[in-house]
């Protein structure tokens, strides 16, 4: 979850506070369960990118969708975020090196 917050934070500008409130809401939903059915959220719908309880999972809206257990989805997205974060870190380092070289050249 920390990785998710960091990744979201990378795209945050002036709306950082709004993103934090959204994260808090998602964490509360996960702890409390489904807002409609008060059931635990146990699966992740890949098509809608949403956490679902068992009742929502069987609804028409998600019945034909591809779902995975919550832990599996979390692991997948954490790994994906780590890869993206590494790419961004590498790109940032290259840009900083380039900037330093340009500044030395212009002295």
């Amino acid at each position: 979850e920390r990785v998710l917050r960091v990744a979201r934070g990378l795209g945050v500008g002036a709306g950082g506070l709004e993103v934090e409130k959204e994260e808090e809401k998602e964490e509360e939903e996960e702890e409390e369960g489904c807002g409609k059915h008060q059931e635990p959220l146990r699966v992740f719908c890949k098509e809608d990118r949403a956490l679902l309880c068992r009742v929502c999972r069987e609804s028409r809206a998600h019945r034909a969708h591809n779902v995975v257990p919550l832990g599996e989805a979390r692991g997948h997205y954490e790994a994906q975020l780590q890869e993206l974060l590494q790419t961004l870190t590498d790109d940032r380092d290259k840009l900083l090196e380039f900037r330093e070289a340009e500044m030395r050249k212009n002295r």
Side-chain angles (χ1 to χ4, degrees), residues 33-49:
C34 177
K36 288 182 181 177
H37 307 108
Q38 284 67 50
E39 292 275 334
L41 301 170
R42 302 210 188 264
V43 295
F44 179 77
C45 175
K46 288 183 173 184
E47 282 79 0
D48 293 330
R49 295 186 179 173

Side-chain angles (χ1 to χ4, degrees), residues 12-69:
V12 175
L17 187 59
E18 186 176 309
V19 170
E20 288 176 14
K21 287 180 183 177
E22 184 178 309
E23 286 175 1
E24 289 173 10
K25 180 182 174 189
E26 288 174 3
E27 286 175 9
E28 286 174 12
E29 285 177 354
E30 190 172 333
E31 289 173 9
E32 293 175 11
C34 177
K36 288 182 181 177
H37 307 108
Q38 284 67 50
E39 292 275 334
L41 301 170
R42 302 210 188 264
V43 295
F44 179 77
C45 175
K46 288 183 173 184
E47 282 79 0
D48 293 330
R49 295 186 179 173
L51 298 174
L52 304 175
C53 73
R54 66 177 178 80
V55 178
C56 289
R57 166 65 181 112
E58 297 304 319
S59 70
R60 277 191 208 143
H62 300 283
R63 192 177 302 148
H65 290 176
N66 204 1
V67 298
V68 294

Side-chain angles (χ1 to χ4, degrees), residues 3 19 34 36 44 61 72 78 83 93 106:
V3 174
V19 170
C34 177
K36 288 182 181 177
F44 179 77
E72 183 180 323
E78 283 178 356
E83 290 175 18
D93 292 345
N106 291 329

Side-chain angles (χ1 to χ4, degrees), residues 1-10 73-89:
E1 290 178 34
R2 182 175 163 265
V3 174
L4 184 59
R5 280 188 224 122
V6 168
R8 284 183 179 156
L10 290 173
R74 179 176 282 139
H76 169 75
Y77 284 105
E78 283 178 356
Q80 196 175 34
L81 285 170
Q82 283 291 348
E83 290 175 18
L84 293 169
L85 185 59
Q86 186 60 51
T87 300
L88 289 172
T89 301

